[in-house]
């Protein structure tokens, strides 16, 4: 054993010194690199430098992550220098049996980019196996009458090596009776035979002992021996003879046990026991496990499973021996026919861990290979994907395939794909197998937010509470994580940028729009916002939508009366009506406005109070005051109308206006009536008023009486003063006596016009209306008309003439009732007269006066 190990080591060293490198570059993944190494190399022995042979830079090896994809790892790669090392003991005999060519295919997988390289390692045989015989000894019984030249076949020696290292020759120890003949028994094997060279004589020598040596062709030569014991028997001069020297039979694989394979027949011309033939296997190894031989009939049957993938043919040697010990052999060659009994396999060697949805077409996703143990058409495999997926299969080399993208990927439509690859052979019937992988698609920010509506319109009633929600916008983004997280903001508006923040705000998370203040329809009826929904991807995507806010009106503004209006000093003005006015005559018009809109601004006019009901009519929608009938003799010249203006809101709001109307044909006639007070509509209030007036008159009369009494005593010759009363309500006083015939007016302001005959003054007093006579807002001012002159009752007419241009008179076409701020707005035609140093007529109210 020591010699054998030494010789084997010497042979291995010799083989290591001469490895050959045969890289074949065929382009792409189909290039193959070939190495040749002897078997039994020590672990860590260098096979070759793969990086150099592939043209790879050493610094790129670590990034490329080279690795060997094989079912059994006999080799490994050093990623630092690119050398391939032996990582496990390689026994060529156990790896390739008797195959002359022993090649180990390697798949070298590289990443970044993903690729595969094919390497073939040829394992060369070394003389590490000694020839040996299956038995330690052989016993041959030879009849002494055996004829010269008779051949006696023996079992061949076994040598697991191949080529020159296999069994080459036999050598027989010296013996004068026998010689050795070697002939081809099967292809590549030598079968030894003993040839009788000299007749045997049992009586002289009953047995012979020979030594047969089997030698291989190694250097050094190794050999094995077997002892042959020859027993000389009595004469049996005819050996069995087979009907054929070589039998050939074809069997399909997977035969059931007990199936008859072949029946051999041998004939012996001897008689008796010398003609009784028995059959036996002379074949080595596991033939007895595969077939059963009937020793009497010579029939061969199947015993164990016959698998084409294990062995494609069997050579069987059958020996026929007669009862006299003479034997002969025949050869049976059994060819196994392949059946399509193996489905192809799909083996994934590399799969990408993740696929982004923006992956380009043609990107390699996975590498896989197929394997079918059958041969011929039964082993030809095609791969396909039955599902409709955006991937396809591209063929590489040596049953390697690539799974590449073949369409657009959209994670929002399909987040993962279960790809099933089906491999089918071409057998009849074909067999197939499937292997599935799940490919997860990772998200990229390829979808902008989308609003649920193309635009938004919201209606908000004015006077809304500040901070209340007025609308909500919503946008969806089908992306994942930050790519689908949406925030909202206001990016534009038709409001002033400075005022925008004080009007509205939007929640960045929920999209709820809040009012920051109460809206006023009268100030702002509508405004428009541009809202933006923006995701948090990189780069971020956004979308805009318009939001129009319509501020609805509420009835929060009461009507406002424009005419009739108070004078600048707060006093009420009056309108004149010709005494001869016919029914339907347009007296005046109440003009009012409402800041609201719609129904809330529809105004209607109503008479709340009238001095003389039925005398005037009021237009419900126009506010025009017209005479309903002609002025009668019993109708007062002074009329008062209290008009209410209501809007159409719910509840309605209103305002009031007081109209002072005087029936007169000229200004001189109308002025005295201005100072008369309208009689109160309430009888109780009128009674109270007269009681107060009576009490005041009594007190005044009593005081005057006392003063007059004292004055008469002190000055009897004092001149008397005379007062005269003008109607209506104009009292002329003469002397200390106060006449009691001063009448009250019927207009909202009662007045007294008094002219002193000796004091150069005439005074027109407007008296304040009591609470019962009208609204406080219209009757809260007190005014007086003071007229200064030189003498008599014509002083008023003269003052009025001075206020108008020359050639016109105060009664000629005076438009005093159409002007809201003055008693008289125009005079008759003509030029203004000469200026007079005397003061003009004026209306005095709370210390202020208005010249006319």
């Amino acid at each position: 054993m020591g010699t054998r190990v030494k010789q084997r080591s010497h042979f291995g060293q010799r083989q290591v010194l001469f490895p050959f490198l045969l890289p074949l570059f065929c382009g792409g993944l189909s290039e193959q690199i070939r190495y040749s190494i002897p078997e039994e190399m020590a672990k860590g022995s260098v096979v070759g430098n793969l990086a150099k042979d592939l043209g790879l830079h050493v610094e790129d090896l670590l990034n490329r992550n080279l690795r060997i994809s094989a079912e059994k790892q006999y080799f490994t790669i050093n990623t630092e220098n690119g050398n391939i090392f032996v990582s496990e003991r390689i026994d060529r005999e156990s790896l390739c049996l008797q195959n002359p060519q022993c090649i180990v295919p390697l798949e070298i997988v590289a990443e970044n980019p993903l690729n595969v390289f094919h390497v073939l390692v040829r394992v060369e045989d070394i003389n590490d196996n000694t020839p040996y015989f299956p038995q330690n000894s052989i016993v041959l019984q030879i009849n002494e009458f055996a004829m010269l030249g008779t051949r006696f076949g023996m079992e061949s020696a076994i040598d697991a090596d191949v080529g020159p290292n296999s069994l080459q020759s036999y050598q027989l120890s010296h013996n004068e009776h026998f010689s050795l003949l070697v002939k081809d028994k099967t292809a590549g094997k030598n079968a030894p035979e003993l040839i009788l060279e000299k007749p045997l004589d049992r009586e002289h020598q009953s047995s012979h002992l020979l030594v047969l040596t089997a030698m291989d062709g190694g250097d050094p030569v190794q050999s094995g021996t077997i002892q042959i014991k020859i027993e000389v028997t009595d004469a049996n001069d005819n050996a069995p003879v087979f009907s054929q020297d070589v039998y050939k039979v074809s069997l399909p694989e997977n035969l059931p046990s007990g199936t008859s394979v072949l029946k051999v027949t041998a004939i012996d011309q001897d008689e008796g026991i010398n003609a009784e033939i028995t059959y036996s296997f002379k074949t080595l190894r596991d033939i007895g496990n595969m077939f059963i031989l009937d020793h009497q009939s010579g029939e061969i049957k199947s015993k164990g499973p016959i698998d084409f993938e294990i062995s494609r043919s069997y050579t069987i040697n059958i020996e026929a021996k007669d009862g006299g010990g003479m034997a002969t052999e025949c050869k049976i060659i059994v060819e196994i026919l392949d059946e399509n009994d193996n489905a192809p396999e799909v083996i994934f060697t590399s799969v990408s861990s993740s696929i982004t949805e923006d992956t380009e077409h043609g990107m390699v996703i996975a590498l896989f290979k197929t394997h079918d143990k059958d041969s011929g058409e039964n082993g030809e495999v095609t791969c396909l994907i039955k599902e409709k997926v955006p991937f396809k299969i591209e063929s590489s080399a040596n049953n390697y395939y690539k799974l590449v993208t073949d369409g657009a990927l959209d994670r929002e439509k399909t987040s993962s794909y279960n790809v099933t690859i089906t491999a089918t052979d071409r057998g009849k019937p074909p067999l197939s197998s499937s292997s599935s992988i799940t490919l997860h698609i990772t998200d990229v920010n390829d979808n902008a937010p989308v609003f649920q509506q193309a635009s938004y319109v919201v209606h908000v009633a004015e006077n809304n509470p500040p901070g209340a929600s007025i609308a909500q916008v919503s946008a969806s983004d089908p992306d994942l994580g930050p790519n689908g997280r949406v925030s909202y903001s206001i990016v534009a508006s038709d409001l002033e940028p400075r005022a925008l923040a004080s009007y509205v705000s939007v929640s960045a998370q929920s999209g709820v729009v809040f009012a920051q203040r109460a809206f006023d329809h009268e100030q702002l009826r509508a405004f428009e916002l541009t809202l933006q929904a923006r995701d948090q991807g990189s780069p971020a995507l956004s979308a805009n939508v318009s939001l129009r806010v319509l501020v609805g009106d509420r009835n929060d503004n009461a009507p406002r009366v424009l005419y009739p209006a108070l004078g600048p000093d707060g006093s009420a003005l009056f309108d004149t009506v010709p005494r001869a006015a016919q029914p339907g005559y347009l007296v005046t018009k109440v003009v009012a406005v409402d800041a609201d809109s719609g129904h809330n601004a529809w105004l209607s006019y109503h008479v709340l109070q009238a001095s003389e009901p039925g005398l005037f009519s009021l237009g419900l929608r126009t506010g025009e005051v017209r005479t309903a009938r002609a002025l009668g003799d019993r109708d007062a010249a002074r009329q008062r109308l209290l008009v209410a203006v209501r809007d159409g809101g719910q509840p309605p709001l209103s305002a009031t206006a007081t109209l002072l109307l005087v029936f007169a044909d000229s200004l001189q006639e109308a002025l005295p009536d201005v100072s008369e007070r309208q009689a109160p509509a309430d009888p109780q209030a009128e009674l109270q008023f007269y009681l107060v007036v009576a009490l005041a008159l009594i007190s005044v009369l009593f005081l005057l009486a006392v003063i007059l009494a004292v004055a008469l005593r002190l000055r009897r010759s004092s001149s008397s003063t005379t007062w005269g009363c003008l109607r209506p309500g104009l009292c002329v006083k003469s002397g200390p006596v106060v006449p009691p015939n001063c009448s009250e007016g019927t207009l909202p302001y009662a007045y007294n016009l008094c002219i002193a005959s000796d004091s150069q003054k005439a005074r027109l007093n407007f008296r304040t209306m009591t609470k019962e006579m009208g609204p406080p807002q219209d009757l809260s001012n007190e005014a007086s008309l003071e007229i200064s002159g030189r003498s008599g009752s014509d002083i008023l007419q003269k003052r009025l003439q001075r206020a108008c241009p020359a050639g016109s008179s105060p009664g000629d076409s005076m438009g005093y009732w159409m002007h809201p701020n003055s008693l008289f707005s125009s005079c008759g035609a003509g030029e203004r007269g000469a200026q007079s140093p005397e003061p003009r007529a004026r209306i005095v109210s709370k210390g202020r006066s208005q010249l006319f």
Side-chain angles (χ1 to χ4, degrees), residues 37 39 41 229 283 303 496 533 576 583 616 637 700 729 731 817:
I37 63 171
E39 63 174 329
M41 289 185 70
K229 185 179 180 180
T283 306
K303 177 181 180 181
E496 290 292 333
T576 61
F616 299 97
V700 172
C731 300
W817 64 273

Side-chain angles (χ1 to χ4, degrees), residues 805-820:
S808 65
S809 62
D812 297 335
S813 61
M814 301 186 92
Y816 48 84
W817 64 273
M818 291 299 293
H819 198 283

Side-chain angles (χ1 to χ4, degrees), residues 68-317:
I68 298 176
S69 174
E71 296 179 359
K72 189 170 183 180
Q73 296 290 338
Y74 289 103
F75 305 94
T76 185
I77 297 178
N78 188 330
T79 57
E80 295 181 358
N81 52 28
N83 289 333
I84 298 180
F85 294 94
V86 176
S87 62
E88 187 176 345
R89 174 180 174 270
I90 302 176
D91 185 6
R92 183 191 178 283
E93 287 70 29
S94 61
L95 184 63
C96 299
L97 301 180
Q98 292 292 321
N99 195 335
Q101 296 289 334
C102 185
I103 295 178
V104 179
L106 301 179
E107 289 85 23
I108 310 300
V109 179
E111 298 179 354
N112 302 321
L114 191 63
N115 206 340
V116 62
F117 305 93
H118 301 279
V119 177
L120 299 180
V121 179
R122 180 178 179 180
V123 180
E124 300 287 342
D125 182 61
I126 64 174
N127 193 19
D128 60 341
N129 290 280
T130 301
Y132 68 96
F133 291 90
Q135 300 176 0
N136 293 328
S137 64
I138 299 176
V139 177
L140 294 179
Q141 293 181 347
I142 302 177
N143 192 274
E144 61 180 355
F145 290 144
M147 297 178 62
L148 297 179
T150 302
R151 299 179 181 183
F152 303 93
M154 292 176 293
E155 292 183 1
S156 299
I158 299 172
D159 193 341
D161 294 328
V162 296
N165 297 323
S166 65
L167 180 63
Q168 299 294 325
S169 63
Y170 294 89
Q171 184 176 353
L172 185 67
S173 62
H174 177 71
N175 187 280
E176 61 179 359
H177 292 280
F178 298 94
S179 65
L180 182 65
L181 176 65
V182 179
K183 69 174 183 179
D184 280 337
K185 200 171 188 180
T186 60
K189 294 185 179 180
N190 297 327
E193 292 181 341
L194 290 179
I195 301 176
L196 183 60
E197 298 288 344
K198 185 178 180 180
L200 298 175
D201 188 1
R202 178 182 175 279
E203 289 71 25
H204 183 266
Q205 187 177 359
S206 62
S207 64
H208 300 271
L209 184 63
L210 304 176
V211 176
L212 180 62
T213 301
M215 295 175 292
D216 61 18
D219 185 16
V221 176
Q222 299 191 63
S223 63
T225 61
I226 187 175
Q227 289 185 349
I228 304 174
K229 185 179 180 180
I230 299 176
E231 296 179 353
V232 181
T233 64
D234 287 338
N236 182 18
D237 54 355
N238 290 291
V241 176
F242 283 98
S243 59
Q244 294 179 224
D245 290 337
V246 178
Y247 294 86
K248 292 183 178 181
V249 63
S250 297
L251 296 178
E253 63 175 332
N254 301 323
L255 280 177
S257 298
T259 302
S260 178
V261 176
L262 179 68
K263 185 177 181 179
V264 295
T265 303
I267 300 175
D268 194 330
Q269 295 181 357
D270 293 329
E271 294 182 352
I273 192 172
N274 293 327
E276 295 180 0
I277 300 174
T278 59
Y279 302 93
S280 62
F281 284 123
K282 303 299 289 185
T283 306
L284 303 177
R285 297 188 183 177
D286 55 353
I287 293 299
N289 297 328
M290 304 297 298
F291 301 97
I292 300 174
L293 175 62
D294 189 332
H295 297 288
Q296 301 301 322
S297 65
E299 183 178 9
I300 301 173
K301 296 182 179 180
S302 63
K303 177 181 180 181
I306 300 177
D307 192 350
F308 173 84
E309 287 71 40
I310 296 178
S311 178
R312 300 188 178 188
S313 65
Y314 294 94
T315 301
I316 306 173
N317 290 329

Side-chain angles (χ1 to χ4, degrees), residues 707-749:
I707 294 174
L708 289 175
V710 174
L712 289 175
R713 286 188 180 187
L714 296 176
R715 187 177 179 183
R716 293 182 179 273
S717 59
S718 61
S719 59
S720 60
T721 303
T722 304
W723 295 82
C725 294
L726 303 176
R727 296 179 61 89
L730 184 61
C731 300
V732 181
K733 183 178 179 182
S734 178
V737 181
V738 179
N741 57 350
C742 292
S743 63
E744 298 295 334
T746 61
L747 292 176
Y749 291 94

